Amino acid sequence: MDTVTRPRILVVGAGFAGVECVRRLERKLAPHEADVTLVTPFAYQLYLPLLPQVASGVLTPQSIALSLRRSRKYRTRIIPGGAIGVDLRSKVCVIRTITDKIVNERYDYIVLAPGSVTRTFDIPGLTEYAFGMKTLAEAAYIRDHVISQLDLADASDDPAERAARLQFVVVGGGYAGTETAACLQRLTHAAVQRYPHLDPGLIKWHLIDIAPKLMPELGDKLGRSAQEILKRRGIEVSLGVSIAKAGPEEVTFTDGRVVPTHTLIWTAGVVASPLIATLGAETVKGRLAVTSEMCLPGHDGVFALGDSAAVPDLAKGDGAVCPPTAQHAMRQGRKVADNVMAALRGQSLQPYEHKDLGLVVDLGGKDAVSKPLGIELRGLPAQVVARGYHWSALRTNVAKARVMTNWLLNAVAGDDFVRTGFQARKPARLKDFEYTDSYLTPEEVRERVEGRTAGSL
C-alpha cells in the first residue's frame, strides 16, 4: 500500500507575521494539501505594542496574550520551543523544546518569522543589571519591581537608599521607551499617594537616548509635543546621551552623570533574531535579504518576513525596506501565506506592497500623539485614534473585550498597586528572558543535522 506524504509547511515564530500566516493557511488551504506546523515557546500571540500598559498595570497580562488554540479552524501542530538553527540544504530546522530537548524538524516549505530581540551593546553591566521590555514576562516582572521599589523606599530609614530606589532610568527614545517611561511614571505618580511617608518629589524618571530627537519618525512637531508632555509630568529627557556603565545601585551616563538607581530599563532598539545568522545567507543590517515576494534567493520553499527580513518597501521605492512594525508584519504574513499556497500549487507568486498607515503613541491617560495617514494629532483625539487602532488590531473578540474592560475599569477605579511576587526571590534581568545564547552556529547546525537527522518529532 502506497503512502502519500503531504507537503510539510513549517512556520517559525508566533508574532504578528507568523500568526497571520498560519491563520490564512488554515482558512485557505485544504487539509489534504499540506500539513502546517508552528514553532513557538508559547501557544499565544503577544500584542507587543501594549506591553507598556501591562507593565503599568492598566492591562492584565492575559488580555494581550491571544491564545492560538481558540480558532475554530485550528489544525496547526504546535511545537513548544524555539528554532535555534536552520539547515537550508537539508531542509531541516533544529528546535530546542521548552524541556531543553533538541530535535530536528524536516520541512518542504519554511516561513521564517522569528521576530527580533533587544539590541544591546558592549556596555559594562548592561545585560547583568538592565531590564528589557520585549516579552510578557519582562513586563509583568518590571511592574512588580517598580512597585517593590516604592515599598522598600517607604520602609527604609536610609535617605540615600530611599533616593536611589525612587530614581528610574529608561534608555531608548523610540516608541517602546517613550511609552514605557510615560506609563510607568503615571503608575508611580498615582501609587505614591498611598505612601504617606514618601515625598513625591523624590520620584524621578529619566528618559535618555543617543539620538538628537525623540521619536524622529513622528516628525519634529509631534516629537517636540511628546517631549513637552513628558517634561510636564516631571520626566527628565536627555538626548545625545547613553549609558557608559551600569551597576546594581547606580548608572553612569556618557555625559559623566552618575544616577543612583536600582531600575534600568533598556529599550534602545531591536535586531533580527539570532536564528537568521545560522542560515549563512546574505543579510541587510542583520535582517535576511529577501525578494519582494519574501522569498530567499537561491532556495526554493524558503520565505522570510517581519522584523527578521529586509522586505523591499515597494511603496517607498529607492531601495527602502519595510520597517519592523506590526502593520507591515500582519500584512506580510497574509501575503506570504498566499505565496506559499501559490508555490504549492505551481502558481506565480505576488510581491508585497503596502503604504504605511501612520504611527500612534499612547502616553497614558489623555496624553497621546498620533499621525494617522499623515495627519498630526495631539491629546484626546490622538488618544482615541491610538487606542482605537490597537483595539481594532487585536485578533480575537475575547481579547478586544478584555482590553476594553481593562481600560474602562482602570479609568473608573484606578490601579490597585498589587505586587504578584513574580520571581520575587530570583533576580531576573535582560539576559534571563530572551535566551540569545541558545542559538547554534552554521557549523553546529550542519553537524547536528548530519549527526542526528532521525531525531525529529
Side-chain angles (χ1 to χ4, degrees), residues 368-385:
V369 289
S370 301
K371 197 174 183 180
L373 302 175
I375 302 172
E376 296 186 351
L377 300 174
R378 299 168 180 79
L380 190 57
Q383 183 64 281
V384 171
V385 170

Side-chain angles (χ1 to χ4, degrees), residues 360-362 368-370 381-391 407:
V360 296
V361 181
D362 187 340
V369 289
S370 301
Q383 183 64 281
V384 171
V385 170
R387 294 203 171 182
Y389 171 78
H390 289 316
W391 187 82
W407 279 339

